[in-house]
Protein backbone atom coordinates (compact mmCIF):
# COMPACT_ATOMS: atom_id res chain seq x y z
CA UNK A 1 0.00 0.00 0.00
CA UNK A 2 1.48 3.31 -1.00
CA UNK A 3 0.61 6.31 1.12
CA UNK A 4 1.58 8.91 3.66
CA UNK A 5 1.85 7.93 7.32
CA UNK A 6 0.50 11.37 8.25
CA UNK A 7 -2.70 10.74 6.28
CA UNK A 8 -5.29 8.88 8.37
CA UNK A 9 -7.03 7.29 5.36
CA UNK A 10 -3.74 5.99 3.91
CA UNK A 11 -2.72 4.49 7.25
CA UNK A 12 -6.15 2.93 7.78
CA UNK A 13 -5.97 1.23 4.37
CA UNK A 14 -2.50 -0.13 5.14
CA UNK A 15 -3.46 -1.50 8.57
CA UNK A 16 -6.86 -2.97 7.72
CA UNK A 17 -6.77 -6.76 7.53
CA UNK A 18 -3.25 -7.13 8.94
CA UNK A 19 -2.20 -9.45 11.78
CA UNK A 20 0.65 -7.19 12.97
CA UNK A 21 2.33 -3.89 12.19
CA UNK A 22 6.06 -3.20 12.11
CA UNK A 23 6.89 0.51 12.34
CA UNK A 24 10.21 1.58 10.80
CA UNK A 25 9.63 5.27 10.25
CA UNK A 26 12.50 7.66 9.74
CA UNK A 27 13.02 11.29 8.92
CA UNK A 28 16.74 11.75 9.27
CA UNK A 29 18.13 14.33 11.65
CA UNK A 30 15.09 16.60 11.60
CA UNK A 31 12.65 14.32 13.44
CA UNK A 32 8.97 15.18 13.60
CA UNK A 33 7.65 12.18 11.66
CA UNK A 34 8.06 9.17 13.94
CA UNK A 35 5.75 10.22 16.79
CA UNK A 36 2.86 11.64 14.73
CA UNK A 37 3.10 8.79 12.21
CA UNK A 38 3.12 6.21 15.00
CA UNK A 39 0.12 7.91 16.63
CA UNK A 40 -1.80 7.51 13.34
CA UNK A 41 -0.75 3.86 13.11
CA UNK A 42 -1.86 3.16 16.69
CA UNK A 43 -5.24 4.77 16.02
CA UNK A 44 -5.71 2.67 12.88
CA UNK A 45 -4.65 -0.51 14.69
CA UNK A 46 -7.25 0.07 17.39
CA UNK A 47 -9.92 0.87 14.78
CA UNK A 48 -9.21 -2.38 12.89
CA UNK A 49 -8.57 -4.65 15.87
CA UNK A 50 -4.88 -5.25 15.16
CA UNK A 51 -3.03 -5.73 18.45
CA UNK A 52 0.58 -6.72 17.63
CA UNK A 53 2.96 -3.77 17.18
CA UNK A 54 6.71 -3.93 16.69
CA UNK A 55 8.35 -0.51 16.65
CA UNK A 56 11.92 0.21 15.60
CA UNK A 57 13.40 3.03 17.64
CA UNK A 58 17.12 3.67 18.21
CA UNK A 59 19.81 2.73 20.64
CA UNK A 60 20.18 5.89 22.70
CA UNK A 61 16.48 6.49 23.24
CA UNK A 62 15.09 6.35 26.75
CA UNK A 63 17.18 4.51 29.32
CA UNK A 64 19.50 3.13 26.62
CA UNK A 65 21.17 6.54 26.43
CA UNK A 66 23.50 5.20 29.13
CA UNK A 67 25.12 2.68 26.73
CA UNK A 68 26.35 5.38 24.36
CA UNK A 69 29.90 6.68 24.29
CA UNK A 70 30.80 10.36 24.56
CA UNK A 71 30.65 10.92 20.77
CA UNK A 72 27.10 9.56 20.48
CA UNK A 73 25.80 11.17 23.69
CA UNK A 74 27.27 14.64 23.29
CA UNK A 75 27.89 15.18 19.58
CA UNK A 76 25.48 12.99 17.65
CA UNK A 77 22.39 12.95 19.91
CA UNK A 78 23.42 16.00 21.93
CA UNK A 79 23.80 18.30 18.92
CA UNK A 80 23.34 16.86 15.45
CA UNK A 81 20.45 14.45 16.05
CA UNK A 82 18.77 16.11 19.03
CA UNK A 83 15.43 16.53 17.23
CA UNK A 84 15.51 12.95 15.94
CA UNK A 85 16.17 11.60 19.45
CA UNK A 86 13.29 13.65 20.87
CA UNK A 87 11.06 12.18 18.15
CA UNK A 88 12.17 8.63 19.04
CA UNK A 89 11.48 9.28 22.74
CA UNK A 90 8.00 10.65 21.97
CA UNK A 91 7.33 7.68 19.68
CA UNK A 92 8.34 5.19 22.39
CA UNK A 93 6.06 6.91 24.89
CA UNK A 94 3.10 6.55 22.50
CA UNK A 95 3.86 2.87 21.93
CA UNK A 96 4.12 2.11 25.65
CA UNK A 97 0.86 3.92 26.39
CA UNK A 98 -1.00 2.39 23.43
CA UNK A 99 -2.52 -0.60 25.21
CA UNK A 100 -1.36 -2.77 22.29
CA UNK A 101 0.87 -5.87 22.40
CA UNK A 102 4.03 -3.92 21.66
CA UNK A 103 7.74 -4.59 21.38
CA UNK A 104 10.23 -1.76 20.93
CA UNK A 105 13.50 -2.62 19.19
CA UNK A 106 16.46 -0.25 19.59
CA UNK A 107 19.10 -1.11 17.00
CA UNK A 108 22.62 0.29 17.15
CA UNK A 109 24.12 2.30 14.28
CA UNK A 110 23.25 0.84 10.88
CA UNK A 111 25.75 -0.66 8.47
CA UNK A 112 25.22 -1.91 4.93
CA UNK A 113 26.60 -5.39 5.72
CA UNK A 114 24.89 -8.67 4.91
CA UNK A 115 22.47 -10.58 7.13
CA UNK A 116 24.48 -12.67 9.58
CA UNK A 117 21.86 -13.76 12.10
CA UNK A 118 24.56 -13.35 14.77
CA UNK A 119 23.51 -10.42 16.89
CA UNK A 120 22.83 -9.76 20.53
CA UNK A 121 19.37 -8.59 21.56
CA UNK A 122 17.84 -7.50 24.83
CA UNK A 123 20.99 -6.26 26.52
CA UNK A 124 19.28 -3.29 28.21
CA UNK A 125 21.81 -0.76 29.43
CA UNK A 126 24.77 -3.17 29.60
CA UNK A 127 26.50 -2.92 26.22
CA UNK A 128 29.90 -4.21 27.29
CA UNK A 129 31.57 -6.14 24.48
CA UNK A 130 29.15 -4.93 21.81
CA UNK A 131 30.21 -3.03 18.68
CA UNK A 132 27.12 -0.80 18.78
CA UNK A 133 26.71 -1.41 15.05
CA UNK A 134 24.39 -3.72 13.13
CA UNK A 135 23.49 -4.30 9.48
CA UNK A 136 20.15 -3.17 8.16
CA UNK A 137 19.60 -6.76 6.97
CA UNK A 138 20.00 -8.12 10.51
CA UNK A 139 17.66 -5.43 11.87
CA UNK A 140 15.01 -6.45 9.32
CA UNK A 141 15.49 -10.13 10.20
CA UNK A 142 15.12 -9.44 13.92
CA UNK A 143 12.05 -7.21 13.49
CA UNK A 144 10.26 -9.90 11.48
CA UNK A 145 11.08 -12.53 14.10
CA UNK A 146 9.35 -10.40 16.77
CA UNK A 147 5.89 -10.77 15.22
CA UNK A 148 5.40 -14.18 16.82
CA UNK A 149 7.96 -13.87 19.61
CA UNK A 150 7.19 -13.72 23.32
CA UNK A 151 8.62 -10.20 23.64
CA UNK A 152 5.40 -8.28 24.21
CA UNK A 153 5.88 -5.31 26.50
CA UNK A 154 9.67 -5.41 26.13
CA UNK A 155 12.24 -2.92 24.86
CA UNK A 156 15.21 -4.66 23.28
CA UNK A 157 18.60 -3.28 22.31
CA UNK A 158 20.09 -4.83 19.17
CA UNK A 159 23.78 -4.89 18.19
CA UNK A 160 26.76 -7.06 17.23
Amino acid sequence: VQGNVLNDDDVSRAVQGQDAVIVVLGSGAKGGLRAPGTANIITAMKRHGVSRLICQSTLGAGDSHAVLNFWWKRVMFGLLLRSALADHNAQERLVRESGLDWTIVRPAAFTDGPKSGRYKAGFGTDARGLTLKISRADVADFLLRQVGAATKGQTLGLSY
Side-chain angles (χ1 to χ4, degrees), residues 136-149:
R136 288 173 176 83
D138 275 329
V139 172
D141 177 66
F142 185 76
L143 290 169
L144 288 171
R145 291 175 183 269
Q146 299 319 295
V147 172

Side-chain angles (χ1 to χ4, degrees), residues 58-73:
T58 188
L59 196 61
D63 62 353
S64 73
H65 196 72
V67 305
L68 301 178
N69 62 27
F70 176 84
W71 173 256
W72 278 97
K73 279 183 187 175

Side-chain angles (χ1 to χ4, degrees), residues 97-156:
E97 295 170 358
S98 69
L100 298 171
D101 293 331
W102 57 266
T103 300
I104 295 172
V105 177
R106 293 175 173 161
F110 293 147
T111 70
D112 291 325
K115 181 180 121 184
S116 72
R118 290 176 278 149
Y119 40 75
K120 180 161 171 120
F123 51 83
T125 58
D126 182 5
R128 287 176 291 190
L130 299 177
T131 65
L132 300 184
K133 293 182 180 179
I134 189 159
S135 73
R136 288 173 176 83
D138 275 329
V139 172
D141 177 66
F142 185 76
L143 290 169
L144 288 171
R145 291 175 183 269
Q146 299 319 295
V147 172
T151 56
K152 295 173 184 170
Q154 295 182 35
T155 301
L156 307 168

